[in-house]
Amino acid sequence: MDDLEKAIVIMFDETSNVDSNLKLKANEYCDKAKDESAICRVCVEKLCFSNIVQVQFWCLQTLHETIRIRYSWMSLDEKYFIRKSVFSIVCLEGIDENHALRILRGPAFIKNKLAQVLVSLIYLDYPMNWPSVFVDFLSHLRKGPVVIDMFCRVLNTLDDESISMDYPRTPEEVTAAGRIKDAMRAQCVSSLVGAWYDILSMYKNSDQELCASVLDAMRRYISWIDIGLIVNDVILPLLFELTLVDGLLEQLRGAAAGCLLAVVSKRMDHQAKLTLLQSLQISRVFGLVATEDSDSELVSKVASLLTGYAVEVLECFKRLNSEESKSTSLELLNEVLPSVFYVLQKCELDSAFSIVQFLSGYVATMKSLSPLTEKQLLHLSQILEVILAQICYDPVYRHNLDILDKIGQEEEDRMVEFRKDLLVLLRSVGRVAPDVTQLFIRSSMVSAASSSSDRNVEEVEASLTLFFAYGESLSDEVMKNGSGLVGELVTMLLSTRFSCHSNRLVALIYLETIFRYIKVVQENSQFIHVVLAAFLDERGIHHPNINVSRRASYLFMRVVKLLKVKLIPYIETILTSLQDTVARFTSSNFASNELSGSEDGSHIFEAIGLLIGMEDVPLEKQSDYLSSLLKPLCQQVEVVLINAKALTPEEATAKIATIQQIIMAINALSKGFNERLVTTSRPAIGLMFKQTLDVLLQVLIAFPKVEPLRTKVLSFIHRMVETLGASVFPYLPKALEQLLAESEPKELVGFLVLLNQLICKFSTSVHGILEDVFPTIASRIFNVIPRDSLPSGPGTNIEEIRELQELQRIVYTFLHVITTHDLSSVFLSPKSRSFLEPMMQLLLNTSCNHKDILVRKACVQIFIKLIKDWCVWPSGEEKVPGFQSFIIEGFAKNCCLYSVLDKSFELHDANSLILLGEIVAAQKVMYEKFGQDFLFHFVSKGFLTAHCPQDLAEQYCQKLQGSDIKALKSFYQSLIESLRVQQNGSLVFR
């Protein structure tokens, strides 16, 4: 070995025996060798004489790179040398045949790289400088399989790298592909097809792998050569023979089927295509899908052929308008469809998606045909059979899906995704042929229900899934009518008790399907008792699987919402049935062990609240129902509160979990009661909730530092504000005092959200409450939130910073809500006065610099409202000494001028333009309140500093004094754009 060969071997060494520094030096040596002017001659020489595959590969790779980069600069002699040398190796021509044979019999990656080098030369030189390459190559095919194999590799690589439009191509590559194809059509395509035929005839029994390679190359070229070269009495019979003859290599038969698919898919005039499809007699291959192994490669190829054929026939039907053409197309479709259905039902296919897409197209086409023939209706029925077969789970996963372990979850997720297109197809069939679809669903449900064993779990689940999905395509009118087959199906659904109902998937889809068709029940009260039984017995809420039970609780709550008044006669029955569930829900075991996720069981209490909270329920009954639920729950809480100090940590954890559950239950229960009922028409009901609130507020005293408990109590107070209305006021001071005892940012956020709710609901009525708590809130805010911006950038996306960001956002909302609900006088109370100056500075800084434009807008709106509230014109009286000068000298200049001049203020951003509108509105308000004082400071000082021309300043004053706010905004925007050109950004407020 010489030094270059040694360096190449070291460079490609994948063991750990070679030192990394030595490998680096080897790389550098090889890279330096590539830059040598004679590198192509070196590579050719080593290709011919080196036995080391790493050296061969490096030489071929280097040749390929050099041709791509330097070929256009090379001399004619050098180009000729490279072409001659590469072609000689490929064709065993004029060199030491043994050395060339060694390469052509070497590893596939060497032969593929050699083909890539030759194709790069064809790309650059054919046909201008090397017109004879294909003709010459064809003359060497008589040398046997090694040269034929290389020829196939060259044709395939040429297709991959230059011709095929399956890959993105640059305009230059598209032009080159056209040049190559045009030249080949004119010069050698006919000879090429003849060579393919001769090779296939000669080697079909002796070297079938070689024949498969030839067919793979042929398949690629059929799309752009003259179709008459293939569709004739010589080639076409050979392709069918190779596909159909039993005993041939499966790979060969599949490759022949691939060529037939290329013929079928050939782009051409649709009338000519229909004639071609009709002449193929494709029915000859139908039998293959039934006789071969369903998961074989041949069946997959034949399935693709049949699907491609069906797609093309359907396209002809859509594109051709003559009755004869449409009739012929339908005949061909009718002929091929049963085989398409068969392969989708029986075979494991990669092409299942394309078949479903074809069937969707077929069904869509059927919409235009009316009425449908018996055969077409039969095909639609067969499509439904295919869908049912495809959406069935594999029984091998039954246990995994029932307990929903990791394997089961993965299979369920996969099937959810897989089913999407199939269920869309189902709904399409349902719209085209509703009667056929409903009869099929009835038949499948009858079949699923008829088995008395567990063996049909998957069949039952699939049948119910069909019925569930079909409901999505039904109109409200059909649902409400509930007559005919839909009514019959709903009756069957409600009356059927499947033997496999204990299975999680079956139970879930059964309940979901009932809810999907609940509108039928709404209009047909005779179904109500059956629906209630399904949700309340072991099929629903009392199902042994906790996941089914929880989902049933949620769906039952939604059923109650929809049926409401119709359920009043059944309230006693429902409450009796739910007694054990209600008790279990608030037991310590259930609270600690069984709950997770959003469907946590409180839906049961919400359903009960919706039932018993209706005014149609007599007062006495309503009081009894509510009392029987609230009293035991409150007593449980009171018992824990009495003994709270004596609890061990372990006991406290269990009791706290129980209290959490109870608060959630009461909260959910209260959702069924509206403010008018509990405060006006039935105050006795309101009193029960007030007593409950009184008990639950004691939780904040007994467990002051348990954050989850505080959150639940806070949520209940929110609920009581909506339920009890103004009658909640006496309870608020105590509640707010306890909630404000903690100062964590997360706690403060929840507290401010509650205050926002109170202000929005009661407005100035909460003035006294707000005046009491605001000083404490302000103190907390200024202790927690930095006066300047919060830290940002790498390392700041931590929980603490996120909590501060959330608090900051809600603080601005809080201040905005106060000012816009006429409560700004709260800021001026004696206890709050000391916070006024830092609050104004915070709002000013935010209005100028905050990254969130919507937050800046809120701050500007706050200032506008404060100016209106605190500034009196024309008397000049100041409610807040110094506020006017702060606004004129601070807010007006820094926010309304300098912050907008900053180029970070995007004048073409929608939100920024909204903010600009508020800033212009603020200027209008300031002029109305401060008159010439505002103009003097803003125009004479602010504009002057921003280098504003006198004429623009005068125009601004005119627009400001006018009444057209839109014109003012438009002018101010153009003014800012012109001022940006004249100043360097140094004025921007920071």
Side-chain angles (χ1 to χ4, degrees), residues 554-565:
Y554 168 73
L555 290 173
F556 178 65
M557 179 270 292
R558 293 186 65 190
V559 167
V560 171
K561 269 187 181 176
L562 288 168
L563 299 181
K564 247 181 166 181
V565 177

Side-chain angles (χ1 to χ4, degrees), residues 165 402 746 767 858 962:
M165 290 299 134
D402 199 30
K746 208 159 41 172
H767 185 281

Side-chain angles (χ1 to χ4, degrees), residues 373-392:
T373 65
E374 273 191 46
K375 183 148 262 186
Q376 287 159 354
L377 290 170
L378 173 64
H379 287 156
L380 291 173
S381 179
Q382 288 174 312
I383 290 173
L384 294 171
E385 287 176 17
V386 167
I387 294 169
L388 181 62
Q390 287 289 299
I391 66 170
C392 270

Side-chain angles (χ1 to χ4, degrees), residues 47 170 288 298 317 456 582-583 626 634-635 659 747 752 776 956:
L47 268 176
T170 65
L288 289 178
L298 175 60
F317 176 83
N456 68 333
V582 166
L626 186 59
C634 288
Q635 283 167 0
I659 293 176
E747 296 272 356
L752 293 178
T776 310
Y956 170 78

